[in-house]
Amino acid sequence: MTDKNTLSHAELNAIKKASKKLDDWRLDDCEMYVTTEPCQMCAGAIVQARIKKVYIGCMNPKAGCAGSIMNLLEVDAFNHQAESEKGILEEECSNLLKDFFKKLRC
């Protein structure tokens, strides 16, 4: 979000690029790797894009919507669910985010 745009999350940017490259809004055969747990906006976009699976580095207990606060990726009432695997390189991802936000505040 360094461009000061609420919608500029990495997941949304990746979905946009993948849709353009594949010339389709359905990303059925795609998997996504994220450093931190998606927020509600990104989790919703992942479901809408029909992404098959999301690999999550570290959880976000304050804003995460893939298991921390709620799990929008696996709501049975939606027409699509995205499988998720959590804790992928968890410590490294957590440190990466801490360093990123520390530099952003300076």
Side-chain angles (χ1 to χ4, degrees):
M1 284 198 300
T2 56
D3 67 354
K4 309 244 187 287
N5 183 337
T6 304
L7 303 177
S8 288
H9 288 207
E11 296 91 337
L12 298 182
N13 294 334
I15 289 169
K16 185 176 179 180
K17 287 179 183 179
S19 294
K20 185 174 182 175
K21 177 138 180 102
L22 298 173
D23 194 30
D24 198 348
W25 64 269
R26 292 179 194 89
L27 303 176
D28 309 86
D29 294 324
C30 296
E31 297 180 347
M32 181 178 277
Y33 292 79
V34 297
T35 308
T36 191
E37 181 181 7
C39 69
Q40 67 273 30
M41 176 177 64
C42 294
I46 288 165
V47 170
Q48 292 292 20
R50 313 285 200 273
I51 291 173
K52 181 175 26 178
K53 186 169 182 177
V54 182
Y55 297 89
I56 301 167
C58 59
M59 300 303 280
N60 183 349
K62 293 183 180 179
C65 289
S68 287
I69 293 176
M70 62 180 64
N71 191 346
L72 290 176
L73 299 180
E74 298 177 15
V75 175
D76 289 333
F78 292 153
N79 63 338
H80 175 77
Q81 293 78 40
E83 186 182 346
S84 64
E85 188 172 327
K86 301 166 180 77
I88 308 298
L89 299 172
E90 186 172 10
E91 188 175 339
E92 293 90 333
C93 289
S94 178
N95 289 334
L96 185 70
L97 287 165
K98 286 176 189 173
D99 290 346
F100 172 78
F101 285 108
K102 186 177 179 180
K103 288 177 186 173
L104 199 62
R105 288 188 290 271
C106 293

